[in-house]
Amino acid sequence: MTRKLMKVVLVDDDADMRAATAQWLELAGYRVETYADAPSALARLDTTLEGVVVSDVRMPKMDGMAFLARLNALDPDLPVVLITAHGDVQMAVKAMRQGAYDFIEKPFEPDELLEIIQRASEKRCLVLENRDLRSRLNGSADIERRLIGDCPAIRRLRSELLDIAETDAPVLIQGETGTGKEVVAHCLHDYGLRKTGRFVPVNCGAIPENMVESELFGHERGAFTGADRRRIGRFEYAEGGTMFLDEIGTMPLPLQVKLLRALQEREIVRIGSNEPLPIDIRLVSATNRQLLDECAAGRFREDLFYRINVVELRVPPLRERGGDILLLFDYFVSRAATTYQRPVVSLKSTAANLLMTHKWPGNVRELKNIAERFVLSSLSADERLPAILGSFCPSQPATGASSLQELLRQHEHLLLEQALTRHRGDVQAVMEELDLPRRTFNEKMSRYNLDRKDYF
Ligand SMILES: Nc1ncnc2c1ncn2[C@@H]1O[C@H](COP(=O)(O)OP(=O)(O)OP(=O)(O)O)[C@@H](O)[C@H]1O
Ligand SMILES: [Mg+2]
């Protein structure tokens, strides 16, 4: 990658300005993509941009500051240069605080802008080269786009996942409904040794009880009434690949015995046959129940539990993921906007608050649905989210907290987490942004049991 191939995404509502700047940049050897407004640029941008963004601040539809926040959420390593009005020092300081790479005051000399863009491009080159290197090493850049999230728990989950993907150890994925267990299971397969084999999901909860055994192990012709021909089961079908037993907590006890035997012996027997067949699969299971409680209640076999749970991955509920709520919302909104060809509407801070304090019983799936409804809604930007969330959660204060004090505490906790995430654990930057003296900051960090190292 060389500077000559770098791209400049130029956003300015002033057509003359756009054309003139684009011309200088092209003469200087950049590829230039121009947009008259930020939402249309957002619809096209993603984390792979081999270039930098230059944007005017004062624009209709979405201003440069809101655009900057969206770009930061999309890719915090994307350099954004803002064009501010002459003498607007406050705006310039604010832009830098919120993560702009640099700013330039109007009117400016072409050379001044070129110099900034050159530095920004060099930085971008380094970031992309590093990402390439990392992705070649372990696929991590790619997984960040599949299992999205920047909170410490999700970053930890991604690195644990990559650590164990290339082993054959059975994995149990635990997490509430809609948290992303299936996404994790797919990643385990795709980054594993068996990625060229099949990924075979079996939803133990959705198959009628009398069919599960035949579904898993297959049957011979005539094994039972209606078995008019031989059928191979999922175990055989998954040979050489990964078998994903979803909702394993719902598996009937007699079948648990058979599954345990198959896993111990590494062989299965089709119903109606006597001949054992060797199996070679990687087993990944998932559950939204507490399996140890199920064991204690006699509904799940403890020996099977230990057999399928050699490694456990826990996918945290959305309400524990702090800033990821807005990150994922932005992601799903821009995806839906592209799919349905609708404009991206920016969130007001009050609406962001609504998202942050919602309980999210349906986790990421619920958030994704809400983001889609948000994009498709015909209400005004301010009315959309209250209307949609109201219909998802009609009663109850969203967090389940009862007192005002507790709500404020929770909100303060979230704001701190978000700021730490944004500044990647840079305490000085967080204190500045939130205008907190060091002592107060330290008190709050220890009150909420936060550790800056978790955000590096
Ligand atoms: N971290 C994530 N990044 C991007 N998309 C996600 C993430 N987590 C979940 N999703 C999306 O949210 C939806 C629900 O995820 P998934 O089906 O994996 O949840 P689950 O835990 O298996 O839910 P259930 O227990 O109900 O089966 C899917 O559309 C998935 O693509
Ligand atoms: Mg699932």
CSV table of all heavy atoms in Angstrom, one decimal, residues 182 185-186 198-204 207 215-216 234-235 237-238 242-246 284:
chain,number,residue,atom,x,y,z
A,182,GLU,N,-24.7,-18.2,18.4
A,182,GLU,CA,-24.6,-18.9,17.1
A,182,GLU,C,-23.4,-18.2,16.3
A,182,GLU,O,-22.7,-18.9,15.6
A,182,GLU,CB,-25.9,-18.9,16.3
A,182,GLU,CG,-25.8,-19.7,15.1
A,182,GLU,CD,-27.1,-20.3,14.6
A,182,GLU,OE1,-28.1,-20.3,15.4
A,182,GLU,OE2,-27.2,-20.8,13.5
A,185,ALA,N,-20.4,-19.8,17.6
A,185,ALA,CA,-20.2,-21.1,17.1
A,185,ALA,C,-19.7,-21.1,15.7
A,185,ALA,O,-18.7,-21.9,15.4
A,185,ALA,CB,-21.5,-21.9,17.2
A,186,HIS,N,-20.2,-20.3,14.8
A,186,HIS,CA,-19.8,-20.2,13.5
A,186,HIS,C,-18.3,-19.8,13.4
A,186,HIS,O,-17.5,-20.3,12.6
A,186,HIS,CB,-20.6,-19.1,12.7
A,186,HIS,CG,-21.8,-19.8,12.0
A,186,HIS,ND1,-21.7,-20.5,10.9
A,186,HIS,CD2,-23.1,-19.7,12.3
A,186,HIS,CE1,-22.9,-20.9,10.5
A,186,HIS,NE2,-23.8,-20.4,11.4
A,198,ARG,N,-17.9,-29.4,7.0
A,198,ARG,CA,-19.2,-28.8,7.2
A,198,ARG,C,-19.4,-28.2,8.6
A,198,ARG,O,-18.9,-28.8,9.5
A,198,ARG,CB,-20.3,-29.8,6.9
A,198,ARG,CG,-20.4,-30.2,5.5
A,198,ARG,CD,-21.8,-30.9,5.3
A,198,ARG,NE,-21.9,-31.4,4.0
A,198,ARG,CZ,-21.6,-32.6,3.5
A,198,ARG,NH1,-21.1,-33.5,4.4
A,198,ARG,NH2,-21.7,-32.9,2.3
A,199,PHE,N,-20.3,-27.2,8.7
A,199,PHE,CA,-20.8,-26.7,10.0
A,199,PHE,C,-22.2,-27.2,10.0
A,199,PHE,O,-23.0,-26.8,9.2
A,199,PHE,CB,-20.7,-25.2,10.0
A,199,PHE,CG,-21.3,-24.6,11.3
A,199,PHE,CD1,-20.5,-24.5,12.4
A,199,PHE,CD2,-22.6,-24.1,11.3
A,199,PHE,CE1,-21.1,-24.0,13.6
A,199,PHE,CE2,-23.1,-23.6,12.5
A,199,PHE,CZ,-22.4,-23.5,13.6
A,200,VAL,N,-22.5,-28.1,11.0
A,200,VAL,CA,-23.8,-28.7,11.0
A,200,VAL,C,-24.6,-28.4,12.3
A,200,VAL,O,-24.3,-28.9,13.3
A,200,VAL,CB,-23.7,-30.3,10.8
A,200,VAL,CG1,-25.1,-30.9,10.8
A,200,VAL,CG2,-23.0,-30.6,9.6
A,201,PRO,N,-25.5,-27.4,12.2
A,201,PRO,CA,-26.3,-27.1,13.4
A,201,PRO,C,-27.5,-28.0,13.6
A,201,PRO,O,-28.1,-28.5,12.7
A,201,PRO,CB,-26.8,-25.7,13.1
A,201,PRO,CG,-26.8,-25.6,11.6
A,201,PRO,CD,-25.9,-26.6,11.0
A,202,VAL,N,-27.7,-28.4,14.9
A,202,VAL,CA,-28.8,-29.2,15.2
A,202,VAL,C,-29.5,-28.4,16.4
A,202,VAL,O,-28.9,-28.2,17.4
A,202,VAL,CB,-28.4,-30.6,15.8
A,202,VAL,CG1,-29.7,-31.4,16.1
A,202,VAL,CG2,-27.6,-31.3,14.7
A,203,ASN,N,-30.8,-28.0,16.2
A,203,ASN,CA,-31.5,-27.3,17.3
A,203,ASN,C,-32.2,-28.4,18.1
A,203,ASN,O,-33.3,-28.8,17.7
A,203,ASN,CB,-32.4,-26.3,16.7
A,203,ASN,CG,-33.0,-25.4,17.8
A,203,ASN,OD1,-33.1,-25.9,19.0
A,203,ASN,ND2,-33.3,-24.2,17.5
A,204,CYS,N,-31.6,-28.8,19.2
A,204,CYS,CA,-32.2,-29.9,20.0
A,204,CYS,C,-33.6,-29.5,20.5
A,204,CYS,O,-34.4,-30.4,20.8
A,204,CYS,CB,-31.3,-30.2,21.2
A,204,CYS,SG,-29.6,-30.5,20.7
A,207,ILE,N,-36.6,-30.0,17.5
A,207,ILE,CA,-36.9,-31.3,16.9
A,207,ILE,C,-37.8,-32.1,17.8
A,207,ILE,O,-37.5,-32.2,19.0
A,207,ILE,CB,-35.6,-32.1,16.6
A,207,ILE,CG1,-34.6,-31.3,15.7
A,207,ILE,CG2,-35.9,-33.4,15.9
A,207,ILE,CD1,-33.2,-31.9,15.7
A,215,GLU,N,-32.4,-38.1,14.1
A,215,GLU,CA,-31.8,-36.9,13.5
A,215,GLU,C,-30.3,-37.0,13.7
A,215,GLU,O,-29.5,-36.7,12.8
A,215,GLU,CB,-32.5,-35.7,14.1
A,215,GLU,CG,-32.1,-34.4,13.6
A,215,GLU,CD,-32.6,-34.1,12.2
A,215,GLU,OE1,-33.6,-34.8,11.8
A,215,GLU,OE2,-32.0,-33.3,11.4
A,216,LEU,N,-29.9,-37.3,15.0
A,216,LEU,CA,-28.5,-37.3,15.3
A,216,LEU,C,-27.7,-38.5,14.7
A,216,LEU,O,-26.6,-38.3,14.2
A,216,LEU,CB,-28.3,-37.3,16.8
A,216,LEU,CG,-28.6,-36.0,17.5
A,216,LEU,CD1,-28.3,-36.2,19.0
A,216,LEU,CD2,-27.7,-34.9,17.0
A,234,ARG,N,-27.0,-36.6,11.6
A,234,ARG,CA,-26.2,-35.4,11.6
A,234,ARG,C,-24.7,-35.6,11.9
A,234,ARG,O,-23.8,-34.9,11.4
A,234,ARG,CB,-26.8,-34.4,12.6
A,234,ARG,CG,-28.2,-34.0,12.3
A,234,ARG,CD,-28.3,-32.7,11.6
A,234,ARG,NE,-28.9,-32.7,10.4
A,234,ARG,CZ,-28.9,-31.7,9.5
A,234,ARG,NH1,-28.3,-30.6,9.7
A,234,ARG,NH2,-29.6,-31.9,8.3
A,235,PHE,N,-24.5,-36.6,12.8
A,235,PHE,CA,-23.1,-36.9,13.2
A,235,PHE,C,-22.3,-37.3,11.9
A,235,PHE,O,-21.2,-36.9,11.7
A,235,PHE,CB,-23.0,-38.1,14.2
A,235,PHE,CG,-23.0,-37.6,15.6
A,235,PHE,CD1,-24.1,-37.7,16.4
A,235,PHE,CD2,-21.8,-37.1,16.1
A,235,PHE,CE1,-24.0,-37.3,17.8
A,235,PHE,CE2,-21.7,-36.7,17.4
A,235,PHE,CZ,-22.8,-36.8,18.3
A,237,TYR,N,-23.1,-36.7,8.8
A,237,TYR,CA,-23.1,-35.6,7.9
A,237,TYR,C,-22.0,-34.6,8.2
A,237,TYR,O,-21.4,-34.0,7.4
A,237,TYR,CB,-24.5,-34.9,7.9
A,237,TYR,CG,-24.7,-33.9,6.8
A,237,TYR,CD1,-24.6,-34.3,5.5
A,237,TYR,CD2,-24.9,-32.6,7.1
A,237,TYR,CE1,-24.8,-33.4,4.5
A,237,TYR,CE2,-25.1,-31.7,6.1
A,237,TYR,CZ,-25.0,-32.1,4.8
A,237,TYR,OH,-25.2,-31.2,3.8
A,238,ALA,N,-21.7,-34.5,9.5
A,238,ALA,CA,-20.7,-33.5,10.0
A,238,ALA,C,-19.3,-34.1,10.0
A,238,ALA,O,-18.4,-33.4,10.4
A,238,ALA,CB,-21.1,-33.1,11.4
A,242,THR,N,-17.7,-29.6,12.0
A,242,THR,CA,-18.1,-29.2,13.3
A,242,THR,C,-19.6,-29.5,13.5
A,242,THR,O,-20.4,-29.1,12.6
A,242,THR,CB,-17.9,-27.6,13.5
A,242,THR,OG1,-16.6,-27.3,13.3
A,242,THR,CG2,-18.3,-27.2,14.9
A,243,MET,N,-20.0,-30.1,14.6
A,243,MET,CA,-21.4,-30.2,14.9
A,243,MET,C,-21.8,-29.3,16.0
A,243,MET,O,-21.1,-29.2,17.0
A,243,MET,CB,-21.7,-31.7,15.3
A,243,MET,CG,-23.2,-31.8,15.5
A,243,MET,SD,-23.8,-33.4,15.0
A,243,MET,CE,-23.8,-34.1,16.5
A,244,PHE,N,-22.9,-28.5,15.7
A,244,PHE,CA,-23.3,-27.5,16.7
A,244,PHE,C,-24.6,-27.9,17.3
A,244,PHE,O,-25.7,-27.9,16.7
A,244,PHE,CB,-23.4,-26.1,16.0
A,244,PHE,CG,-24.0,-25.0,16.8
A,244,PHE,CD1,-23.5,-24.8,18.1
A,244,PHE,CD2,-24.9,-24.2,16.4
A,244,PHE,CE1,-24.0,-23.8,18.9
A,244,PHE,CE2,-25.5,-23.1,17.1
A,244,PHE,CZ,-25.0,-23.0,18.4
A,245,LEU,N,-24.5,-28.4,18.6
A,245,LEU,CA,-25.8,-28.8,19.3
A,245,LEU,C,-26.3,-27.6,20.0
A,245,LEU,O,-25.8,-27.2,21.1
A,245,LEU,CB,-25.5,-29.9,20.3
A,245,LEU,CG,-25.1,-31.2,19.6
A,245,LEU,CD1,-24.9,-32.3,20.7
A,245,LEU,CD2,-26.2,-31.7,18.7
A,246,ASP,N,-27.3,-26.9,19.4
A,246,ASP,CA,-27.9,-25.7,20.0
A,246,ASP,C,-29.0,-26.1,21.0
A,246,ASP,O,-29.7,-27.1,20.8
A,246,ASP,CB,-28.5,-24.9,18.8
A,246,ASP,CG,-28.6,-23.4,19.2
A,246,ASP,OD1,-28.2,-23.1,20.3
A,246,ASP,OD2,-29.0,-22.6,18.3
A,284,VAL,N,-19.5,-28.4,19.3
A,284,VAL,CA,-19.7,-27.2,19.9
A,284,VAL,C,-21.2,-27.2,20.4
A,284,VAL,O,-22.1,-27.6,19.6
A,284,VAL,CB,-19.5,-26.0,18.9
A,284,VAL,CG1,-19.9,-24.7,19.6
A,284,VAL,CG2,-18.1,-26.0,18.4
